Amino acid sequence: LLGYVLGVTLFVSPAFISESSRTEVRGRCVVIFQMCITCGIAISYFVDLAFVPFASWRLMIGSPAIVSAILFFLVFILPDTPRWYVMKGRRREALGALEGIYGSTSLAEKELDSIERDLYKQEVGTFSELFHRPMLRATMFGLGIGFFLQGTGIAAIVYYAPIIIQGLGVKSASLSILVTALFQVLALFAVIASYLYIDKIGRRPLMIIGAVSMVIGMGALVVTDVTQFSMFMAVSGLVGQIGRAH
């Protein structure tokens, strides 16, 4: 159930953010979403660190329920996206939502007209068209990014980082959780760097830099595990993998 909810949230949230933000800041808003995820993961590890003296995994797993409850109630005060309102024929509500985004009735009406023209021109396709030209390349790119990013094992590394660190020689549970939390803080700096440079350098160069860094990080982890070469190399590998995957 948790995996299902996370999957839906990670799919719906970027779409909601992109449809509820101005065009000129849309990319940065999506990066801020990722920044908040990374920050939340880091905070969760520090919370786990505080619960270590109690030796209770139930407290560690149960504490996020408080945050989830807060999020549940906050969602009810959010308006839907202007595009969704237009799709449902609720033009007045779409205009109100756009006025809240742009702070100007004239700009809101201009954007509303743009959304209506876009939906009017939009053709209804079939699922099979995604796997034929000219959509095939975009489909394979989107699927490939998701598949290979998860294929790097970043989810397992984030979830089991304390155990991995203990396997590398750190015996203290508190220290292994603390080191993992610090890794997430470094990952947060990586996301902040992406936020600052995504519009200056571009999306593609940042993706290339991230992919190369993950290759180096995974390579360092493998070499360390096979040869027991150096704790420093293992830590460097974890930092590179976690930081660049975010």
Side-chain angles (χ1 to χ4, degrees):
L1 178 60
L2 180 60
Y4 171 78
V5 172
L6 286 174
V8 171
T9 302
L10 292 175
F11 175 79
V12 173
S13 296
F16 182 90
I17 292 170
S18 64
E19 292 183 6
S20 302
S21 55
R22 298 188 182 191
T23 306
E24 61 269 20
V25 297
R26 193 165 292 163
R28 290 192 176 188
C29 287
V30 175
V31 175
I32 290 175
F33 167 69
Q34 182 62 49
M35 191 185 303
C36 292
I37 291 177
T38 307
C39 186
I41 295 174
I43 292 174
S44 70
Y45 276 114
F46 283 112
V47 172
D48 290 345
L49 183 63
F51 287 141
V52 168
F54 300 97
S56 175
W57 59 267
R58 292 178 178 85
L59 288 175
M60 295 181 181
I61 295 178
S63 57
I66 300 174
V67 180
S68 301
I70 295 173
L71 177 63
F72 174 77
F73 289 108
L74 289 177
V75 166
F76 285 99
I77 67 175
L78 288 175
D80 218 311
T81 67
R83 187 179 182 88
W84 186 86
Y85 283 133
V86 174
M87 290 173 62
K88 298 301 178 180
R90 298 161 63 175
R91 196 177 193 279
R92 180 179 299 178
E93 292 163 287
L95 181 61
L98 287 169
E99 287 177 345
I101 295 171
Y102 287 92
S104 168
T105 302
S106 59
L107 291 176
E109 290 178 343
K110 182 178 180 181
E111 181 64 20
L112 180 58
D113 291 339
S114 176
I115 293 174
E116 289 177 332
R117 287 195 303 269
D118 181 56
L119 290 175
Y120 179 76
K121 295 178 181 178
Q122 184 174 328
E123 298 180 1
V124 178
T126 61
F127 181 76
S128 61
E129 290 180 6
L130 294 174
F131 300 95
H132 295 85
R133 295 181 183 277
M135 297 299 298
L136 179 61
R137 184 176 181 181
T139 301
M140 297 307 296
F141 178 79
L143 293 176
I145 287 293
F147 176 80
F148 288 111
L149 182 59
Q150 295 302 315
T152 61
I154 181 58
I157 289 176
V158 170
Y159 294 150
Y160 297 103
I163 298 175
I164 295 173
I165 293 171
Q166 287 182 324
L168 294 171
V170 177
K171 301 304 180 183
S172 170
S174 298
L175 183 58
S176 64
I177 294 176
L178 176 61
V179 172
T180 305
L182 294 177
F183 285 164
Q184 292 300 325
V185 173
L186 293 175
L188 180 60
F189 284 116
V191 178
I192 292 173
S194 299
Y195 173 81
L196 295 175
Y197 292 104
I198 189 170
D199 291 328
K200 296 179 181 179
I201 299 177
R203 279 69 166 169
R204 186 170 179 270
L206 285 176
M207 291 179 63
I208 293 173
I209 293 171
V212 171
S213 299
M214 283 193 288
V215 170
I216 296 173
M218 289 300 293
L221 284 174
V222 172
V223 171
T224 303
D225 183 64
V226 173
T227 65
Q228 300 296 314
F229 179 68
S230 167
M231 175 66 74
F232 173 76
M233 181 176 286
V235 171
S236 300
L238 282 170
V239 170
Q241 178 69 354
I242 294 174
R244 288 309 176 183
H246 285 72

